[in-house]
């Protein structure tokens, strides 16, 4: 799952990827397939505009959320209407619930389920921010994610 629209290397490597447009898409397709352990089925059904199915035999073994930072940014922008309003407590609760739901589903899918169900490796990347002191010296490197 790509939340970072700037990533383009997956295409060259032949690795299936989806650039997620919004949370509704995550819930409608990706979370459902992840929770049902049917990501391979979802990926195999991807069609090109020409009607080809380039991943018709692909078996998903690893799910990479790239990145949590972009997921956060997109969610905060959506809930804050593009930055035009404060999200308030309800918005932050929604944001945390989405993040929790995504990570919990991914982690659950790393454990064996019912016989015959797919099991995945789950990786999520987070960008980092450098903190500096008054002299401009780097004092710490922290995850670049809003909230706590």
């Amino acid at each position: 799952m790509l939340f970072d629209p700037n990533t383009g290397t997956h295409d060259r490597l032949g690795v299936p990827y989806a650039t997620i447009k919004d949370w509704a898409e995550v819930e409608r397709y990706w979370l459902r397939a992840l929770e049902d352990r049917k990501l391979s089925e979802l990926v195999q059904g991807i069609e090109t505009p020409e009607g080809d199915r380039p991943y018709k035999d692909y078996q998903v073994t690893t799910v990479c959320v790239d990145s949590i930072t972009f997921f956060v940014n997109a969610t905060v922008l959506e809930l804050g209407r593009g930055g035009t309003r404060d999200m308030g407590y309800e918005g932050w609760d929604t944001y945390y619930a989405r993040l929790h739901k995504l990570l919990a589903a991914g982690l659950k899918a790393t454990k064996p389920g019912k016989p015959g169900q797919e099991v995945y490796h789950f990786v999520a990347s987070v960008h980092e921010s450098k903190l500096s002191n008054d002299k401009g010296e780097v004092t710490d490197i922290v995850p670049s994610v809003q909230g706590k």
Side-chain angles (χ1 to χ4, degrees):
M1 284 179 214
L2 291 179
F3 291 97
D4 182 348
N6 301 316
T7 307
T9 57
H10 300 84
D11 215 13
R12 291 191 301 266
L13 298 173
V15 176
Y17 71 95
T19 303
I20 308 300
K21 293 170 186 62
D22 55 28
W23 179 253
E25 180 185 344
V26 172
E27 288 215 303
R28 188 171 40 253
Y29 301 110
W30 299 101
L31 264 178
R32 184 175 295 157
L34 184 60
E35 291 168 346
D36 293 344
R37 314 285 182 103
K38 294 184 178 183
L39 282 172
S40 293
E41 183 179 310
L42 180 63
V43 168
Q44 290 168 3
I46 293 173
E47 287 189 15
T48 65
E50 296 80 30
D52 297 327
R53 289 185 26 218
Y55 307 115
K56 64 183 178 188
D57 298 318
Y58 196 90
Q59 292 296 308
V60 175
T61 56
T62 303
V63 177
C64 178
V65 177
D66 182 19
S67 72
I68 295 297
T69 306
F70 272 85
F71 164 80
V72 168
N73 294 345
T75 300
V76 168
L77 281 172
E78 176 198 341
L79 296 173
R81 294 189 188 137
T84 61
R85 72 174 179 103
D86 185 278
M87 291 189 348
Y89 291 115
E90 186 177 317
W92 283 106
D93 286 348
T94 300
Y95 153 69
Y96 286 121
R98 288 178 181 181
L99 185 57
H100 180 267
K101 192 172 190 176
L102 176 63
L103 294 176
L107 292 175
K108 184 175 181 183
T110 66
K111 308 214 180 312
K114 297 175 186 171
Q117 279 189 322
E118 294 180 339
V119 177
Y120 312 108
H121 301 282
F122 185 78
V123 179
S125 65
V126 178
H127 295 257
E128 59 187 30
S129 293
K130 296 177 181 175
L131 301 179
S132 303
N133 61 20
D134 293 338
K135 298 177 188 175
E137 301 165 331
V138 175
T139 57
D140 201 1
I141 297 175
V142 297
S144 178
V145 177
Q146 295 185 34
K148 303 220 184 245

